[in-house]
Amino acid sequence: MSSAAPSPVMAPAANEKPSVQMCKGINGLDKVVLREFRGSSVEIYLYGAHVTSWKNEHGEELLFVSSKAIFKPPKAIRGGIPICFPQFSNLGPLEAHGFARNRFWSIDPSPPPFPVDSSNKTYVDLLLKNTEEDMKIWPHSFEFRLRVTLGPAGDLMMTSRVRNTNPDGKPFTFTFAYHTYFSVSDISEVRVEGLETLDYLDNLQNRERFTEQGDAITFESEVDKIYLSTPTKIAILDHEKKRTFVIRKDGLSDAVVWNPWDKKAKSLADFGDDEYKHMLCIEAAAIEKPITLKPGEEWKGRQELSAVPSSYCSGQLDPRRVLQGS
Ligand code: TA6
């Protein structure tokens, strides 16, 4: 297993864009840009280790970021892929979705040995450690390493590694989600495959447990559901764009599905009133069974996002094949 040196933040050669570049984003916040030679790209703000852009080789933006997003700490950026850690939701002692998305991460100076397969992948390693301030609200020492990788076909991979570094021998327990906001052409023309017949907790009905019906999920009102024991692959079919997002996940047994719809959208200051029509959150998560680590133990949670053309409307793309495919 090759031990990976920190991904180089290279200066641009004369006639090409660097594959990994550090630059200034909105409000002068530091961000890293990953570029792949066919033209796809990913942008990650060090604030929150927050992926705010994932573009395909045609330069099309695949993630949703609200036009009213506030790129100003301590507010979390509305959209992209917020990291929810060490607490998903507001059901606990911490602020909603924990504090990892409200902290400044650093480029990891010494990432642990990390299998990097042979294909030319462009990546950055980010690191978050607890601060004295954090200890006041969550009295645990941890190291959270996030690797964001842009694959040769423009797929976006995120691997989170959380290690308990408590010196006092104490274990800690956390919940987690990649709170991914996908950009869709029209929410009323979107189907989600892979969650049929599963049990879910409905956040709109006091987290009561229900069972999903047998067809693909479609949308005509606010949805806020935590699907339990979900499969490795979930597909989001955007009819108008003839595009299918495929989420492959590992170490994350649950999946949250959220669209605020009109009323909730209007109540969010950093969300446009009509923007609910063009976004859908499908969040690879570990919620129902929180993760407990003893000192020295490490947890890994991984998601891989790809966007493939889907002529589903002509019946050619069988979503079941997408879900069962390699
Ligand atoms: O993931 C769904 C959810 O928990 C919803 O209940 C809604 O609150 C959403 O997250 C957004 O949360 P945020 O704290 O980012 O406004």
Side-chain angles (χ1 to χ4, degrees):
M1 179 196 325
S2 64
S3 65
S7 44
V9 184
M10 296 179 281
N15 58 351
E16 66 164 287
K17 289 184 176 164
S19 59
V20 183
Q21 184 186 16
M22 177 79 106
C23 55
K24 291 291 184 189
I26 297 172
N27 294 336
L29 292 172
D30 287 327
K31 73 176 177 181
V32 178
V33 181
L34 306 180
R35 290 186 181 87
E36 188 271 328
F37 71 96
R38 283 198 191 87
S40 54
S41 66
V42 170
E43 297 190 359
I44 312 107
Y45 278 79
L46 294 193
Y47 176 58
H50 201 130
V51 175
T52 53
S53 173
W54 169 40
K55 290 181 180 174
N56 64 15
E57 60 201 56
H58 310 298
E60 292 172 304
E61 180 58 67
L62 301 171
L63 297 177
F64 166 87
V65 173
S66 173
S67 59
K68 302 176 87 174
I70 297 163
F71 286 73
K72 197 167 178 349
K75 178 75 180 148
I77 298 166
R78 173 69 63 193
I81 309 178
I83 301 284
C84 301
F85 172 86
Q87 172 190 297
F88 176 82
S89 88
N90 54 8
L91 300 180
L94 302 177
E95 59 198 288
H97 295 332
F99 52 77
R101 65 179 184 170
N102 311 90
R103 296 291 182 274
F104 284 96
W105 293 54
S106 57
I107 302 282
D108 187 354
S110 56
F114 207 122
V116 177
D117 64 31
S118 56
S119 57
N120 159 35
K121 288 186 173 171
T122 305
Y123 61 87
V124 65
D125 290 312
L126 301 177
L127 172 65
L128 180 70
K129 291 183 179 178
N130 58 288
T131 62
E132 285 308 309
E133 279 307 296
D134 296 337
M135 297 287 279
K136 291 175 188 162
I137 54 172
W138 200 62
H140 298 294
S141 297
F142 67 89
E143 288 177 0
F144 186 155
R145 286 181 158 84
L146 173 69
R147 172 168 288 187
V148 181
T149 303
L150 182 58
D155 40 335
L156 166 57
M157 280 154 282
M158 299 174 75
T159 303
S160 290
R161 291 170 175 264
V162 176
R163 177 179 296 278
N164 179 337
T165 55
N166 274 338
D168 58 4
K170 280 197 187 133
F172 63 55
T173 298
F174 64 93
T175 50
F176 177 94
Y178 291 115
H179 197 300
T180 309
Y181 287 71
F182 291 95
S183 172
V184 297
S185 43
D186 175 352
I187 187 64
S188 61
E189 302 264 313
V190 166
R191 300 157 59 87
V192 172
E193 306 274 352
L195 301 177
E196 301 83 344
T197 74
L198 296 181
D199 279 8
Y200 64 87
L201 307 177
D202 191 340
N203 279 323
L204 302 180
Q205 301 187 66
N206 300 316
R207 279 209 176 183
E208 239 183 277
R209 192 178 183 118
F210 297 89
T211 300
E212 188 54 73
Q213 33 91 17
D215 299 333
I217 299 169
T218 53
F219 302 88
E220 53 268 331
S221 62
E222 181 181 358
V223 171
D224 191 349
K225 299 177 178 177
I226 303 169
Y227 287 84
L228 308 173
S229 306
T230 59
T232 307
K233 283 187 206 169
I234 300 169
I236 306 166
L237 291 89
D238 182 331
H239 177 78
E240 196 174 306
K241 286 218 168 76
K242 293 187 176 41
R243 170 191 291 153
T244 294
F245 290 111
V246 180
I247 304 166
R248 291 175 177 80
K249 55 189 178 63
D250 185 41
L252 297 159
S253 59
D254 306 324
V256 182
V257 178
W258 179 59
N259 185 292
W261 221 256
D262 54 352
K263 191 158 163 280
K264 182 75 174 283
K266 286 190 177 74
S267 74
L268 296 169
D270 60 343
F271 196 98
D273 290 357
D274 282 346
E275 288 185 327
Y276 72 93
K277 296 174 182 170
H278 307 296
M279 55 71 67
L280 176 63
C281 285
I282 305 281
E283 308 161 31
I287 302 168
E288 186 193 30
K289 301 183 184 81
I291 296 138
T292 296
L293 296 176
K294 298 191 189 81
E297 284 186 332
E298 181 178 82
W299 168 81
K300 190 168 98 172
R302 188 173 182 280
Q303 73 166 4
E304 180 177 334
L305 309 181
S306 49
V308 296
S310 62
S311 50
Y312 180 66
C313 54
S314 64
Q316 284 170 13
L317 176 87
D318 173 352
R320 281 177 297 284
R321 252 207 0 248
V322 172
L323 296 177
Q324 285 143 20
S326 59

